[in-house]
């Protein structure tokens, strides 16, 4: 008889020994320690955050400094191109035994004398014309009033018009604004003079210390890079100097041509107007000729209205002569770039740097084109008619031929032509 619980013997469930608990795997920390380690920041994250903040601060500081120094950087760029333009003359004088600093000073002195003389003559011409227009304004006003009275049957008088103008509100407001803007104009004039002095100073140092500057630049480059830098510098000197010299020659031709026309018509200040047209038409690309012709047209109009028309006709004809005959011959060896590329470079330079970009765009693009031309591998062009603009026939006869053949086949008694 099997023992029971009543007999005091342990039951099978009580007699079975308890299974030992499975030991925890070695190396695995408790759950609380793992949570604590997961919440702790990695050691590299603070350093990465500090580095990122430092880079952002450095970028902001550099951006602020660049915007603050934009004017100075543009002045240095103008000075560099001006130094490249006078480099051939300075080097030629230095090769003759003259000190480079003295040669640079003489070149700048010549440019200053020519510029000052031109500005003085132009200013005297404009002052004389303004005085003449002011003195003749009553006569112009009387003729205009008489024309209005005869045409529209009115009874206007010059005295009434002058009284109305003198007591008008817009005239008083204009005088007040002009008086308030005198200080702004003075500040702009002083700023322009300071900028001109800065450009002249930097360009003088660039031209006088050109060899020293090249040695300093090459001293931080390996020999292979030094040769490339010196070659790029030489190309820039040739292209910039050639561009300015060719423009100067075309300005001389244009000025002489317009002077002869104005002198033949008896327009006052013909020599100064000729110089004005020559310089503005050549150193303001694309539209410079038409801007330059506006002043001679205005002064010719004061002599005879038909003279202004003749000046406009001459300006248009001379522009075509210059574009298709004179300019290709003078710039073929100096700045040989396509007219579309030149126009695009002027537009891009104007968008980036304004008037300064328009002036330096063409020599900069010519320099880049000449420098990259040595590294672009060119191949012989295949003798294909399509290269010369002749399109070959593909896919059978053309549309007109097929229409003509179908029409011939539909006519009674007609047959298709081969």
């Amino acid at each position: 008889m099997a023992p029971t619980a009543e007999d005091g013997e342990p039951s099978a469930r009580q007699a079975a020994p308890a299974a030992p608990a499975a030991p925890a795997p070695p190396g695995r920390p408790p759950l609380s320690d793992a949570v604590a380690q997961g919440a702790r920041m990695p050691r590299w994250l603070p350093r990465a955050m500090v580095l990122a903040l430092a880079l952002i601060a450095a970028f902001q500081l550099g951006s602020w400094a660049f915007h603050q120094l934009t004017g100075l950087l543009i002045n240095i760029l103008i000075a560099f191109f001006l130094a490249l333009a006078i480099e051939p003359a300075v080097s030629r004088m230095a090769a003759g035994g003259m000190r480079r600093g003295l040669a640079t000073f003489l070149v700048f002195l010549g440019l200053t004398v020519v510029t000052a003389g031109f500005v003085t003559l132009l200013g005297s011409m404009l002052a004389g014309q303004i005085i003449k227009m002011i003195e003749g304004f009553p006569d112009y006003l009387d003729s205009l009033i008489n024309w209005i009275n005869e045409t529209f049957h009115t009874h206007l008088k010059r005295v009434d018009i002058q009284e109305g103008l003198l007591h008008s509100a817009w005239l008083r407001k204009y005088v007040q604004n002009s008086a308030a803007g005198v200080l702004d104009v003075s500040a702009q004039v002083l700023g322009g003079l300071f900028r001109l002095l800065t450009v002249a100073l930097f360009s003088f140092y660039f031209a006088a210390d050109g060899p020293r500057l090249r040695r300093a630049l090459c001293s931080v480059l390996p020999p292979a890079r030094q040769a490339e830098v010196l070659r790029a510098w030489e190309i820039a000197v040739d292209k910039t100097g050639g561009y300015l010299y060719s423009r100067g020659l075309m300005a001389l031709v244009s000025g002489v041509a317009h002077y002869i026309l104005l002198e033949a018509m008896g327009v006052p200040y013909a020599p100064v107007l000729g110089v004005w047209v020559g310089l503005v038409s050549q150193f303001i690309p694309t539209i410079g000729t038409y801007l330059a012709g506006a002043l001679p047209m205005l002064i010719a109009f004061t002599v005879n209205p038909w003279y202004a028309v003749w000046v406009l006709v001459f300006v248009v004809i001379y522009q075509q002569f210059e574009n298709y005959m004179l300019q290709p011959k003078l710039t073929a060896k100096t700045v040989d770039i396509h007219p579309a590329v030149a126009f695009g470079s002027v537009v891009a330079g104007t968008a980036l740097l304004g008037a300064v970009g328009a002036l330096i765009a063409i020599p900069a693009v010519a320099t880049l084109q000449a420098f990259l031309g040595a590294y672009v591998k060119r191949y012989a062009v295949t003798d294909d008619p399509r290269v010369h603009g002749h399109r070959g026939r593909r896919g059978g006869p053309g549309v007109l031929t097929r229409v003509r053949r179908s029409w011939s086949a539909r006519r009674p008694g007609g047959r298709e032509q081969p």
Side-chain angles (χ1 to χ4, degrees):
M1 189 174 197
T4 61
E6 288 80 2
D7 298 335
E9 294 293 336
S11 63
R13 183 178 299 176
Q14 294 177 350
R28 178 180 295 179
L31 183 59
S32 58
D33 296 340
V35 172
Q37 290 184 2
R40 185 179 302 172
M41 183 182 298
R43 295 181 179 179
W44 57 268
L45 187 57
R47 292 193 297 269
M49 295 176 62
V50 171
L51 180 60
L53 293 176
L55 291 177
I56 294 175
F59 175 77
Q60 294 292 336
L61 180 62
S63 178
W64 172 81
F66 178 78
H67 285 87
Q68 295 295 322
L69 299 176
T70 301
L72 178 61
L73 296 177
I74 292 177
N75 292 338
I76 293 176
L77 183 63
I78 299 173
F80 179 71
F81 273 92
L82 182 59
L84 292 179
I86 66 174
E87 176 72 21
V90 173
S91 299
R92 191 172 304 166
M93 296 172 68
M98 186 180 296
R99 294 181 57 185
R100 191 173 181 88
L102 180 59
T104 307
F105 174 76
L106 292 178
V107 172
F108 269 92
L109 181 62
L111 292 175
T112 303
V113 170
V114 172
T115 304
F118 172 70
V119 172
T120 302
L121 291 176
L122 185 63
S124 63
M125 180 201 69
L126 291 177
Q129 290 301 122
I130 291 173
I131 292 174
K132 185 181 295 186
M133 291 177 65
I134 292 175
E135 292 176 351
F137 180 75
D139 297 334
Y140 294 144
L141 186 59
D142 288 339
S143 62
L144 178 61
I145 291 174
N146 292 332
W147 180 81
I148 293 175
N149 290 333
E150 293 176 359
T151 304
F152 299 100
H153 304 288
T154 57
H155 301 282
L156 298 177
K157 295 181 180 180
R158 178 160 60 89
V159 178
D160 298 336
I161 296 177
Q162 290 177 350
E163 289 292 332
L165 290 175
L166 291 176
H167 295 86
S168 60
W170 69 269
L171 183 60
R172 290 196 299 268
K173 185 177 180 181
Y174 176 77
V175 172
Q176 292 175 359
N177 293 335
S178 300
V182 170
L183 295 177
D184 296 336
V185 173
S186 302
Q188 291 179 1
V189 170
L190 292 177
L193 292 176
F194 179 76
R195 183 175 182 180
L196 182 62
L197 180 61
T198 303
V199 171
L201 186 63
F202 274 107
S203 59
F204 180 84
Y205 283 131
F206 283 151
D209 293 339
R212 185 184 305 177
L213 180 61
R214 288 190 287 269
R215 287 196 300 269
L217 183 60
C218 292
S219 63
V220 297
L221 298 174
R225 297 296 182 184
Q226 294 179 15
E228 299 298 331
V229 169
L230 294 177
R231 181 175 176 274
W233 193 295
E234 190 67 23
I235 291 175
V237 169
D238 293 339
K239 294 299 180 180
T240 306
Y243 170 74
L244 292 181
Y245 294 152
S246 62
R247 288 290 173 178
L249 185 57
M250 287 192 294
L252 178 62
V253 175
S254 176
V256 170
H258 288 83
Y259 162 73
I260 294 174
L261 173 69
L262 297 174
E263 187 69 24
M265 292 189 301
V267 177
Y269 303 101
V272 183
L273 290 175
V275 175
W276 164 265
V277 172
L279 292 179
V280 175
S281 63
Q282 300 306 319
F283 292 98
I284 298 181
T286 308
I287 60 173
T289 301
Y290 305 102
L291 293 179
L295 183 60
M297 287 175 56
L298 178 62
I299 297 179
F301 184 82
T302 60
V303 179
N304 191 336
W306 283 104
Y307 287 177
V309 178
W310 288 114
V311 171
L312 176 61
V313 172
F314 182 81
V315 166
V316 174
I317 294 176
Y318 181 82
Q319 179 67 20
Q320 305 307 316
F321 165 76
E322 180 183 286
N323 289 340
Y324 294 101
M325 297 186 64
L326 185 62
Q327 183 175 351
K329 294 182 179 180
L330 293 180
T331 60
K333 296 182 180 180
T334 55
V335 189
D336 188 14
I337 60 178
H338 195 273
V341 177
F343 179 75
S345 63
V346 170
V347 173
T350 305
L352 293 175
L353 299 177
V356 177
L359 290 176
I360 67 176
I362 293 179
V365 171
T367 301
L368 182 62
Q369 177 179 337
F371 183 72
L372 295 179
Y375 299 96
V376 177
K377 187 176 181 180
R378 298 183 180 274
Y379 300 92
V381 181
T382 180
D383 190 11
D384 194 305
R386 290 171 292 183
V387 175
H388 306 285
H390 305 295
R391 298 184 61 186
R393 293 183 177 181
R394 294 178 298 177
V399 177
L400 294 179
T401 303
R402 292 197 299 268
V403 170
R404 187 172 60 250
R405 289 181 179 180
S406 61
W407 178 258
S408 300
R410 291 177 181 178
R411 287 187 304 173
R415 60 188 183 87
E416 184 178 355
Q417 299 293 331

